[in-house]
Amino acid sequence: MRSPGLFSDIGKKAKDLLTKDYTCDREVTLSTVTASGVCLTSTAVKKGGLYSLDISSVYQHKNALIGFKVDAESNVSTTFNVLGVLPSTKLAISVKLPDCNASKISTAFIISEALPYRKLVVSVKLPDDPLKLKLQYFHENATFATVVRMKPSPMIEFSATVGTEGVAFGAECRYDAARGKFRNYRAAIGMTSKYYHAALIMADKGDTIKVYGLYHFDKKQKVSAVVELTRKLSKKENTLTVGGLYTVDAQTTVKARLNDSGSLAALLRLQVKPKSHLMISGEFDMKALDKPPKIGLALALVS
């Protein structure tokens, strides 16, 4: 079924091209699957001057999924998931060691029911979050979504979009039950086609206006250009960011972005082998070239 999509989808492709995968961290991930079906993953990350290391494993037996994770500080977490306890249900139990007591054990019971034109997800986590309800309704010309949270304070989020596959009008708001007030109003208009994606989003009760534009220069979307313009009406301030993507071949992709503050970021993604890739990113201050650039590296190897 085709629908105008959720409110969060308006402008998402343009935002992802400008922000996704850019990082100044150093990260190495190694994953392998043993003959018995156990998936082992090791991740080492350097973020700023801090290092972190964790090792995790996942094993699935019939409808049960068992996860085990340990980090450099000897924190151990174990998760046990059972799928299909009842039709469209999932039961998850999480235990963290060595700080393990009844109040620290997290139990989640999730019901996910897909019906024609709608999707209902009910999640209950004890003792952390007594209730989280998520409802999505999809129609050919309209989409409605709501999320109910009870912690840290009762909050209800509403969003709706109407339109067709190519044009969507949407609105979103949040109701604070503790204060009895609506907060965070947002409205948006989005237009999409095979070659372009455009969006106009109004936030902060109309004080902030964001305009996104994404254009693909070919049918395979190998070459793309994107722009983001933000206008703060109360302060009379503008922020402009432009970017682009170029797919050299199936193994090599190059991205870049530049904003009006002089910050230039670039990203090179290389597929070293199937399901494994290397990403090198850098960020430069064009107004202060004497400062060293920020360099990020991410290597993911799957065997």
mmCIF file of all heavy atoms in Angstrom, residues 53-86:
data_model
loop_
_atom_site.group_PDB
_atom_site.id
_atom_site.type_symbol
_atom_site.label_atom_id
_atom_site.label_comp_id
_atom_site.label_asym_id
_atom_site.label_seq_id
_atom_site.Cartn_x
_atom_site.Cartn_y
_atom_site.Cartn_z
ATOM 1 N N LEU A 53 35.549 -0.676 24.867
ATOM 2 C CA LEU A 53 35.643 -1.970 24.203
ATOM 3 C C LEU A 53 34.539 -2.869 24.732
ATOM 4 O O LEU A 53 34.306 -2.925 25.939
ATOM 5 C CB LEU A 53 37.011 -2.612 24.456
ATOM 6 C CG LEU A 53 37.209 -4.053 23.968
ATOM 7 C CD1 LEU A 53 37.194 -4.097 22.442
ATOM 8 C CD2 LEU A 53 38.512 -4.629 24.505
ATOM 9 N N ASP A 54 33.865 -3.538 23.846
ATOM 10 C CA ASP A 54 32.861 -4.507 24.290
ATOM 11 C C ASP A 54 32.835 -5.690 23.349
ATOM 12 O O ASP A 54 33.202 -5.590 22.175
ATOM 13 C CB ASP A 54 31.471 -3.869 24.399
ATOM 14 C CG ASP A 54 30.927 -3.388 23.067
ATOM 15 O OD1 ASP A 54 30.626 -4.241 22.211
ATOM 16 O OD2 ASP A 54 30.802 -2.168 22.892
ATOM 17 N N ILE A 55 32.438 -6.812 23.907
ATOM 18 C CA ILE A 55 32.304 -8.063 23.154
ATOM 19 C C ILE A 55 30.904 -8.590 23.395
ATOM 20 O O ILE A 55 30.445 -8.665 24.541
ATOM 21 C CB ILE A 55 33.349 -9.099 23.605
ATOM 22 C CG1 ILE A 55 34.770 -8.558 23.388
ATOM 23 C CG2 ILE A 55 33.169 -10.414 22.852
ATOM 24 C CD1 ILE A 55 35.847 -9.464 23.935
ATOM 25 N N SER A 56 30.215 -8.933 22.332
ATOM 26 C CA SER A 56 28.848 -9.438 22.465
ATOM 27 C C SER A 56 28.674 -10.684 21.624
ATOM 28 O O SER A 56 29.392 -10.910 20.638
ATOM 29 C CB SER A 56 27.837 -8.370 22.034
ATOM 30 O OG SER A 56 28.022 -8.033 20.669
ATOM 31 N N SER A 57 27.724 -11.487 22.027
ATOM 32 C CA SER A 57 27.390 -12.708 21.280
ATOM 33 C C SER A 57 25.881 -12.891 21.286
ATOM 34 O O SER A 57 25.200 -12.517 22.245
ATOM 35 C CB SER A 57 28.078 -13.926 21.895
ATOM 36 O OG SER A 57 27.595 -14.165 23.206
ATOM 37 N N VAL A 58 25.381 -13.457 20.222
ATOM 38 C CA VAL A 58 23.949 -13.723 20.081
ATOM 39 C C VAL A 58 23.773 -15.142 19.556
ATOM 40 O O VAL A 58 24.437 -15.543 18.588
ATOM 41 C CB VAL A 58 23.279 -12.711 19.123
ATOM 42 C CG1 VAL A 58 21.811 -13.056 18.934
ATOM 43 C CG2 VAL A 58 23.427 -11.294 19.641
ATOM 44 N N TYR A 59 22.894 -15.882 20.194
ATOM 45 C CA TYR A 59 22.612 -17.245 19.760
ATOM 46 C C TYR A 59 21.106 -17.444 19.688
ATOM 47 O O TYR A 59 20.378 -17.084 20.619
ATOM 48 C CB TYR A 59 23.215 -18.261 20.733
ATOM 49 C CG TYR A 59 22.867 -19.692 20.401
ATOM 50 C CD1 TYR A 59 23.398 -20.317 19.274
ATOM 51 C CD2 TYR A 59 21.994 -20.421 21.202
ATOM 52 C CE1 TYR A 59 23.077 -21.628 18.962
ATOM 53 C CE2 TYR A 59 21.662 -21.733 20.900
ATOM 54 C CZ TYR A 59 22.216 -22.328 19.781
ATOM 55 O OH TYR A 59 21.892 -23.628 19.464
ATOM 56 N N GLN A 60 20.640 -17.984 18.582
ATOM 57 C CA GLN A 60 19.214 -18.224 18.398
ATOM 58 C C GLN A 60 18.950 -19.721 18.320
ATOM 59 O O GLN A 60 19.595 -20.443 17.553
ATOM 60 C CB GLN A 60 18.696 -17.538 17.133
ATOM 61 C CG GLN A 60 17.187 -17.705 16.938
ATOM 62 C CD GLN A 60 16.638 -16.842 15.826
ATOM 63 O OE1 GLN A 60 17.380 -16.118 15.170
ATOM 64 N NE2 GLN A 60 15.339 -16.899 15.609
ATOM 65 N N HIS A 61 17.999 -20.152 19.124
ATOM 66 C CA HIS A 61 17.572 -21.552 19.117
ATOM 67 C C HIS A 61 16.056 -21.589 19.010
ATOM 68 O O HIS A 61 15.350 -21.173 19.935
ATOM 69 C CB HIS A 61 18.044 -22.271 20.381
ATOM 70 C CG HIS A 61 17.591 -23.700 20.467
ATOM 71 N ND1 HIS A 61 18.082 -24.692 19.632
ATOM 72 C CD2 HIS A 61 16.685 -24.306 21.284
ATOM 73 C CE1 HIS A 61 17.502 -25.832 19.932
ATOM 74 N NE2 HIS A 61 16.649 -25.629 20.939
ATOM 75 N N LYS A 62 15.577 -22.041 17.889
ATOM 76 C CA LYS A 62 14.141 -22.068 17.602
ATOM 77 C C LYS A 62 13.574 -20.652 17.745
ATOM 78 O O LYS A 62 13.975 -19.740 17.046
ATOM 79 C CB LYS A 62 13.435 -23.088 18.489
ATOM 80 C CG LYS A 62 13.878 -24.526 18.220
ATOM 81 C CD LYS A 62 13.115 -25.516 19.081
ATOM 82 C CE LYS A 62 13.556 -26.944 18.792
ATOM 83 N NZ LYS A 62 12.849 -27.926 19.623
ATOM 84 N N ASN A 63 12.673 -20.428 18.692
ATOM 85 C CA ASN A 63 12.072 -19.099 18.847
ATOM 86 C C ASN A 63 12.690 -18.307 19.999
ATOM 87 O O ASN A 63 12.157 -17.292 20.426
ATOM 88 C CB ASN A 63 10.564 -19.209 19.070
ATOM 89 C CG ASN A 63 10.232 -19.919 20.370
ATOM 90 O OD1 ASN A 63 11.018 -20.737 20.856
ATOM 91 N ND2 ASN A 63 9.067 -19.623 20.929
ATOM 92 N N ALA A 64 13.832 -18.784 20.516
ATOM 93 C CA ALA A 64 14.505 -18.104 21.620
ATOM 94 C C ALA A 64 15.792 -17.457 21.116
ATOM 95 O O ALA A 64 16.540 -18.038 20.330
ATOM 96 C CB ALA A 64 14.809 -19.075 22.744
ATOM 97 N N LEU A 65 16.060 -16.234 21.611
ATOM 98 C CA LEU A 65 17.242 -15.474 21.229
ATOM 99 C C LEU A 65 17.969 -15.068 22.503
ATOM 100 O O LEU A 65 17.404 -14.372 23.351
ATOM 101 C CB LEU A 65 16.856 -14.238 20.413
ATOM 102 C CG LEU A 65 17.957 -13.518 19.655
ATOM 103 C CD1 LEU A 65 18.493 -14.399 18.537
ATOM 104 C CD2 LEU A 65 17.429 -12.217 19.079
ATOM 105 N N ILE A 66 19.218 -15.505 22.649
ATOM 106 C CA ILE A 66 19.998 -15.240 23.854
ATOM 107 C C ILE A 66 21.165 -14.327 23.496
ATOM 108 O O ILE A 66 21.938 -14.617 22.577
ATOM 109 C CB ILE A 66 20.513 -16.544 24.488
ATOM 110 C CG1 ILE A 66 19.335 -17.483 24.804
ATOM 111 C CG2 ILE A 66 21.309 -16.255 25.754
ATOM 112 C CD1 ILE A 66 19.771 -18.846 25.257
ATOM 113 N N GLY A 67 21.292 -13.215 24.233
ATOM 114 C CA GLY A 67 22.370 -12.273 23.989
ATOM 115 C C GLY A 67 23.233 -12.092 25.220
ATOM 116 O O GLY A 67 22.753 -12.120 26.354
ATOM 117 N N PHE A 68 24.531 -11.902 24.981
ATOM 118 C CA PHE A 68 25.495 -11.750 26.073
ATOM 119 C C PHE A 68 26.475 -10.655 25.681
ATOM 120 O O PHE A 68 27.007 -10.657 24.571
ATOM 121 C CB PHE A 68 26.222 -13.079 26.313
ATOM 122 C CG PHE A 68 27.265 -13.021 27.397
ATOM 123 C CD1 PHE A 68 26.910 -13.173 28.721
ATOM 124 C CD2 PHE A 68 28.599 -12.814 27.089
ATOM 125 C CE1 PHE A 68 27.866 -13.124 29.727
ATOM 126 C CE2 PHE A 68 29.563 -12.771 28.083
ATOM 127 C CZ PHE A 68 29.195 -12.924 29.409
ATOM 128 N N LYS A 69 26.718 -9.694 26.596
ATOM 129 C CA LYS A 69 27.610 -8.571 26.282
ATOM 130 C C LYS A 69 28.442 -8.227 27.503
ATOM 131 O O LYS A 69 27.935 -8.144 28.615
ATOM 132 C CB LYS A 69 26.788 -7.346 25.844
ATOM 133 C CG LYS A 69 27.626 -6.150 25.434
ATOM 134 C CD LYS A 69 26.729 -5.019 24.951
ATOM 135 C CE LYS A 69 27.537 -3.808 24.523
ATOM 136 N NZ LYS A 69 26.661 -2.707 24.039
ATOM 137 N N VAL A 70 29.741 -8.003 27.291
ATOM 138 C CA VAL A 70 30.650 -7.606 28.354
ATOM 139 C C VAL A 70 31.519 -6.463 27.839
ATOM 140 O O VAL A 70 31.931 -6.461 26.680
ATOM 141 C CB VAL A 70 31.525 -8.803 28.813
ATOM 142 C CG1 VAL A 70 32.327 -9.366 27.660
ATOM 143 C CG2 VAL A 70 32.438 -8.395 29.961
ATOM 144 N N ASP A 71 31.777 -5.458 28.696
ATOM 145 C CA ASP A 71 32.592 -4.325 28.281
ATOM 146 C C ASP A 71 33.886 -4.283 29.086
ATOM 147 O O ASP A 71 34.166 -5.154 29.921
ATOM 148 C CB ASP A 71 31.822 -3.006 28.419
ATOM 149 C CG ASP A 71 31.370 -2.725 29.836
ATOM 150 O OD1 ASP A 71 31.999 -3.247 30.784
ATOM 151 O OD2 ASP A 71 30.375 -1.991 30.014
ATOM 152 N N ALA A 72 34.719 -3.256 28.817
ATOM 153 C CA ALA A 72 36.037 -3.166 29.436
ATOM 154 C C ALA A 72 35.965 -2.927 30.939
ATOM 155 O O ALA A 72 36.940 -3.160 31.655
ATOM 156 C CB ALA A 72 36.841 -2.055 28.768
ATOM 157 N N GLU A 73 34.820 -2.456 31.448
ATOM 158 C CA GLU A 73 34.655 -2.210 32.876
ATOM 159 C C GLU A 73 34.027 -3.402 33.595
ATOM 160 O O GLU A 73 33.522 -3.270 34.707
ATOM 161 C CB GLU A 73 33.805 -0.957 33.088
ATOM 162 C CG GLU A 73 34.446 0.304 32.519
ATOM 163 C CD GLU A 73 33.586 1.525 32.721
ATOM 164 O OE1 GLU A 73 32.436 1.369 33.201
ATOM 165 O OE2 GLU A 73 34.044 2.635 32.414
ATOM 166 N N SER A 74 34.042 -4.537 32.939
ATOM 167 C CA SER A 74 33.525 -5.799 33.504
ATOM 168 C C SER A 74 32.028 -5.765 33.756
ATOM 169 O O SER A 74 31.513 -6.517 34.582
ATOM 170 C CB SER A 74 34.267 -6.153 34.809
ATOM 171 O OG SER A 74 35.645 -6.316 34.557
ATOM 172 N N ASN A 75 31.323 -4.901 33.068
ATOM 173 C CA ASN A 75 29.866 -4.909 33.142
ATOM 174 C C ASN A 75 29.332 -5.972 32.197
ATOM 175 O O ASN A 75 29.707 -6.017 31.021
ATOM 176 C CB ASN A 75 29.298 -3.546 32.766
ATOM 177 C CG ASN A 75 29.685 -2.472 33.759
ATOM 178 O OD1 ASN A 75 29.607 -2.674 34.960
ATOM 179 N ND2 ASN A 75 30.112 -1.327 33.249
ATOM 180 N N VAL A 76 28.476 -6.816 32.711
ATOM 181 C CA VAL A 76 27.930 -7.925 31.922
ATOM 182 C C VAL A 76 26.424 -7.758 31.822
ATOM 183 O O VAL A 76 25.745 -7.519 32.828
ATOM 184 C CB VAL A 76 28.268 -9.292 32.565
ATOM 185 C CG1 VAL A 76 27.686 -10.424 31.729
ATOM 186 C CG2 VAL A 76 29.771 -9.455 32.724
ATOM 187 N N SER A 77 25.905 -7.862 30.629
ATOM 188 C CA SER A 77 24.457 -7.807 30.437
ATOM 189 C C SER A 77 24.015 -9.008 29.618
ATOM 190 O O SER A 77 24.680 -9.410 28.658
ATOM 191 C CB SER A 77 24.047 -6.509 29.744
ATOM 192 O OG SER A 77 24.631 -6.422 28.462
ATOM 193 N N THR A 78 22.915 -9.576 30.040
ATOM 194 C CA THR A 78 22.358 -10.755 29.369
ATOM 195 C C THR A 78 20.905 -10.484 29.008
ATOM 196 O O THR A 78 20.146 -9.966 29.829
ATOM 197 C CB THR A 78 22.442 -11.991 30.280
ATOM 198 O OG1 THR A 78 23.797 -12.207 30.678
ATOM 199 C CG2 THR A 78 21.928 -13.227 29.565
ATOM 200 N N THR A 79 20.543 -10.793 27.798
ATOM 201 C CA THR A 79 19.156 -10.630 27.364
ATOM 202 C C THR A 79 18.623 -11.966 26.875
ATOM 203 O O THR A 79 19.354 -12.768 26.283
ATOM 204 C CB THR A 79 19.042 -9.591 26.232
ATOM 205 O OG1 THR A 79 19.864 -10.004 25.126
ATOM 206 C CG2 THR A 79 19.481 -8.215 26.699
ATOM 207 N N PHE A 80 17.362 -12.179 27.148
ATOM 208 C CA PHE A 80 16.685 -13.410 26.736
ATOM 209 C C PHE A 80 15.381 -13.020 26.076
ATOM 210 O O PHE A 80 14.508 -12.423 26.703
ATOM 211 C CB PHE A 80 16.431 -14.303 27.955
ATOM 212 C CG PHE A 80 15.764 -15.602 27.628
ATOM 213 C CD1 PHE A 80 16.443 -16.597 26.950
ATOM 214 C CD2 PHE A 80 14.450 -15.825 27.984
ATOM 215 C CE1 PHE A 80 15.817 -17.791 26.647
ATOM 216 C CE2 PHE A 80 13.819 -17.013 27.681
ATOM 217 C CZ PHE A 80 14.509 -18.007 27.012
ATOM 218 N N ASN A 81 15.266 -13.287 24.796
ATOM 219 C CA ASN A 81 14.077 -12.937 24.027
ATOM 220 C C ASN A 81 13.375 -14.198 23.557
ATOM 221 O O ASN A 81 14.026 -15.135 23.053
ATOM 222 C CB ASN A 81 14.449 -12.099 22.798
ATOM 223 C CG ASN A 81 15.082 -10.784 23.185
ATOM 224 O OD1 ASN A 81 14.421 -9.882 23.675
ATOM 225 N ND2 ASN A 81 16.382 -10.670 22.966
ATOM 226 N N VAL A 82 12.079 -14.213 23.718
ATOM 227 C CA VAL A 82 11.259 -15.317 23.230
ATOM 228 C C VAL A 82 10.252 -14.748 22.244
ATOM 229 O O VAL A 82 9.451 -13.871 22.600
ATOM 230 C CB VAL A 82 10.531 -16.042 24.376
ATOM 231 C CG1 VAL A 82 9.702 -17.192 23.832
ATOM 232 C CG2 VAL A 82 11.540 -16.556 25.396
ATOM 233 N N LEU A 83 10.308 -15.217 21.019
ATOM 234 C CA LEU A 83 9.398 -14.757 19.978
ATOM 235 C C LEU A 83 8.237 -15.716 19.850
ATOM 236 O O LEU A 83 8.395 -16.931 20.000
ATOM 237 C CB LEU A 83 10.127 -14.645 18.635
ATOM 238 C CG LEU A 83 11.413 -13.806 18.636
ATOM 239 C CD1 LEU A 83 12.083 -13.877 17.276
ATOM 240 C CD2 LEU A 83 11.104 -12.379 19.004
ATOM 241 N N GLY A 84 7.078 -15.183 19.571
ATOM 242 C CA GLY A 84 5.924 -16.030 19.318
ATOM 243 C C GLY A 84 5.373 -16.692 20.559
ATOM 244 O O GLY A 84 4.858 -17.814 20.493
ATOM 245 N N VAL A 85 5.530 -16.031 21.750
ATOM 246 C CA VAL A 85 4.878 -16.569 22.946
ATOM 247 C C VAL A 85 3.379 -16.700 22.689
ATOM 248 O O VAL A 85 2.747 -17.699 22.998
ATOM 249 C CB VAL A 85 5.135 -15.636 24.150
ATOM 250 C CG1 VAL A 85 4.476 -16.185 25.407
ATOM 251 C CG2 VAL A 85 6.626 -15.450 24.352
ATOM 252 N N LEU A 86 2.839 -15.657 22.117
ATOM 253 C CA LEU A 86 1.489 -15.630 21.570
ATOM 254 C C LEU A 86 1.600 -15.023 20.181
ATOM 255 O O LEU A 86 2.631 -14.446 19.836
ATOM 256 C CB LEU A 86 0.560 -14.794 22.470
ATOM 257 C CG LEU A 86 0.332 -15.328 23.894
ATOM 258 C CD1 LEU A 86 -0.435 -14.297 24.713
ATOM 259 C CD2 LEU A 86 -0.401 -16.657 23.861
#
